[in-house]
Amino acid sequence: MSIASLARRLALALLLVLAAAPAAAQESKRIALSFDDVPRHPGGFMTSDERTIALIAGLHEAGVEQAAFFVTTGNLDDDYGKGGEARIRAYVAAGHVIGNHSHSHGWLWNGDIDAYIADLDKAEAWLADKHGKRPWYRFPYLDEGRDPIRRDALRTALRQRGLLNGYVTVDNFDWAIDNLARQAMEQRKTIDLTNLGAFYVETIVDTAEFNDRIARETLGRSPAHVLLLHETDLNALFIVDLVAGLRAAGWTIITMDEAYRDPIAAVEPDTVYLGAGRVAALANVAGRDPASLVHERTDEAELARLFEGRVIVRNER
Ligand SMILES: [Zn+2]
């Protein structure tokens, strides 16, 4: 081989390395898991204790090192909240962390601002001395206010308290699918559990892919994602399958601590379009129409239609 051809080959090799580096970086999709409304009302399949045991075991089996559980402290006063504190301790003992999801789970957009802040302070007071506590506030309904006055009042309030907005980047209606399953159980319909699991995983993975595409198109990169889930029976039943589905689609599961170290955690999007998660908000700031930022399965009627067709077993006799 001549010196010239060797030089050409080296140059080509270098080019390939340079070209491959950004592509490889683009291929890595990272996501952390979070569960809201803890302790949540029961679903159709198990008791609250069984649900917590199954969820902890599933997260362990799936190799999820650290998920976050966002506590709605008012739920502890409810009948179904009995034993909730012990279940929260169990999540933390298993390596997971907890954050603030308000005391009463109210809306911000139409409520009194001071009362809203007092309510999150009440939850913060309960959480203050708990192990595994993180300074994160997850807005109920992802409602950060629909006008700049409410939005900015809460941004200031969180800053004063040293709280980070516990945003999500992957909104989805996991809770609606859990509701459909519970209703079907109550109506004594026959559920095909295999199909339910497949439908559930497909829906969540697809909403993650959808938001990652939007992020790449508008941010030019894939941020560390935060998946919104709830403390539901379906997550207790299918978390292992869900994590397997995410990994099969190329996702790496990361800790919530790592997710909130992403640069997008420090951004306060200059929009009031905030209820579909941070990626959607940033895409809206970049000029995207909100209608293009909502996944078709973040819709109760659409989910009900699909659920009926794919999960319910017809008794044709
Ligand atoms: Zn909630």
Side-chain angles (χ1 to χ4, degrees):
M1 190 184 296
S2 74
I3 297 290
S5 88
L6 182 66
R8 270 199 304 278
R9 291 185 80 150
L10 283 173
L12 181 65
L14 184 65
L15 252 176
L16 288 173
V17 167
L18 290 174
Q26 286 234 329
E27 275 157 25
S28 91
K29 297 182 289 190
R30 295 165 298 144
I31 194 162
L33 274 48
S34 64
F35 300 89
D36 281 12
D37 301 354
V38 183
R40 197 166 185 273
H41 65 74
F45 298 86
M46 50 186 98
T47 68
S48 299
D49 283 344
E50 288 166 349
R51 183 174 64 187
T52 291
I53 290 165
L55 197 44
I56 288 173
L59 287 167
H60 178 74
E61 186 185 335
V64 178
E65 190 188 325
Q66 181 208 72
F69 289 82
F70 284 91
V71 181
T72 302
T73 52
N75 291 359
L76 290 158
D77 303 332
D78 227 306
D79 274 350
Y80 62 75
K82 250 183 99 189
E85 186 170 347
R87 294 194 292 277
I88 291 164
R89 273 201 305 272
Y91 290 126
V92 173
H96 306 298
V97 295
I98 52 177
N100 186 334
H101 193 41
S102 85
H103 182 74
S104 307
H105 208 278
W107 292 90
L108 172 59
W109 73 274
N110 62 356
D112 177 77
I113 295 175
D114 290 336
Y116 185 95
I117 294 170
D119 189 75
L120 80 83
D121 278 340
K122 200 169 171 182
E124 199 59 21
W126 187 88
L127 285 159
D129 63 349
K130 301 294 184 291
H131 287 294
K133 199 247 176 205
R134 292 292 186 271
W136 303 335
Y137 180 68
R138 166 78 45 90
F139 284 87
Y141 312 105
L142 305 182
D143 171 20
E144 301 183 33
R146 297 175 189 174
D147 61 82
I149 292 173
R150 282 184 164 76
R151 178 196 68 187
D152 294 347
L154 263 293
R155 285 178 175 177
T156 302
L158 294 187
R159 217 177 291 125
Q160 286 167 344
R161 287 158 178 76
L163 292 172
L164 179 79
N165 179 339
Y167 65 85
V168 311
T169 66
V170 181
D171 185 17
N172 68 81
F173 278 22
D174 71 317
W175 53 269
I177 304 177
D178 192 75
N179 281 350
L180 289 166
R182 179 171 46 80
Q183 285 158 16
M185 295 290 278
E186 284 165 4
Q187 293 161 6
R188 304 201 168 270
K189 291 181 177 174
T190 308
I191 287 177
D192 183 319
L193 268 184
T194 305
N195 287 354
L196 173 58
F199 173 62
Y200 186 70
V201 170
E202 169 197 298
T203 300
I204 307 295
V205 172
D206 207 51
T207 55
E209 293 288 320
F210 177 78
N211 279 282
D212 193 54
R213 273 197 303 278
I214 293 169
R216 286 167 196 267
E217 286 161 10
T218 57
L219 307 176
R221 71 181 185 96
S222 177
H225 283 274
V226 177
L227 177 60
L228 171 62
L229 297 168
H230 292 77
E231 192 197 28
T232 62
D233 285 6
L234 289 202
N235 281 318
L237 285 170
F238 298 122
I239 199 69
V240 173
D241 300 306
L242 176 57
V243 169
L246 284 165
R247 290 202 177 110
W251 292 86
T252 300
I253 310 299
I254 58 172
T255 65
M256 284 289 291
D257 282 337
E258 181 181 342
Y260 283 151
R261 282 196 292 267
D262 192 280
I264 64 169
V267 178
E268 292 185 332
D270 185 16
T271 174
V272 290
Y273 181 72
L274 297 158
R278 178 133 315 174
V279 160
L282 291 170
N284 180 242
V285 171
R288 285 274 294 259
D289 176 4
S292 73
L293 302 172
V294 179
H295 191 277
E296 61 195 9
R297 290 195 191 178
T298 53
D299 180 286
E300 285 188 78
E302 174 65 0
L303 287 171
R305 189 184 69 78
L306 293 167
F307 187 92
E308 198 65 29
R310 288 183 52 180
V311 177
I312 300 299
V313 178
R314 308 255 154 262
N315 297 311
E316 285 165 12
R317 263 197 302 155

